[in-house]
Amino acid sequence: MKFRVCAQLRSGLQALSSDRNPNLNIDPFSRSISWSPPQHGWFTLNTDGAVSSENGAACGGAFRYCWSRFILGFSGNLGTCSVLHAELWGILRGLIIASQRGFS
């Protein structure tokens, strides 16, 4: 799992920066990634976006209470867009759902 996350991060960074700086060299690194609960009384929104040459782009996310309990999740097909746009759509859709559900 750790290798897959690092490989995806590296390829995503290269894709985002290749248009602006084709000589950019991104060194791979390894980092453990885990969920950390927010302060008591808060909830958290985790989102992600992904792009595949075969399946197009998608985004999704999950809401959780401060004690790690799952509230709800969402996902959506975005068609064709960049990785950056897929990530941003995930954030936007999450914020819209939070607003519609009255999370504050």
Side-chain angles (χ1 to χ4, degrees), residues 5 26 33-34 44 48 53 77 91-92 95 98 100:
V5 169
I26 299 172
I33 299 174
S34 64
T44 184
D48 192 22
S53 59
N77 183 5
I91 295 168
L92 179 62
L95 293 174
Q100 290 172 342

Side-chain angles (χ1 to χ4, degrees), residues 15-96:
L16 288 173
S17 61
S18 63
D19 292 340
R20 295 188 183 112
N21 188 354
N23 298 321
L24 183 64
N25 182 16
I26 299 172
D27 294 326
F29 62 89
S30 178
R31 174 183 289 170
S32 291
I33 299 174
S34 64
W35 183 79
S36 298
Q39 295 177 353
H40 181 72
W42 289 72
F43 68 89
T44 184
L45 165 63
N46 297 103
T47 64
D48 192 22
V51 175
S52 165
S53 59
E54 293 111 24
N55 300 318
C59 66
F63 291 88
R64 290 192 246 188
Y65 289 111
C66 57
W67 56 88
S68 305
R69 186 172 162 223
F70 179 80
I71 302 172
L72 67 93
F74 65 94
S75 64
N77 183 5
L78 300 172
T80 303
C81 68
S82 70
V83 173
L84 178 60
H85 283 113
E87 296 283 353
L88 293 172
W89 273 114
I91 295 168
L92 179 62
R93 286 186 176 185
L95 293 174
I96 289 170

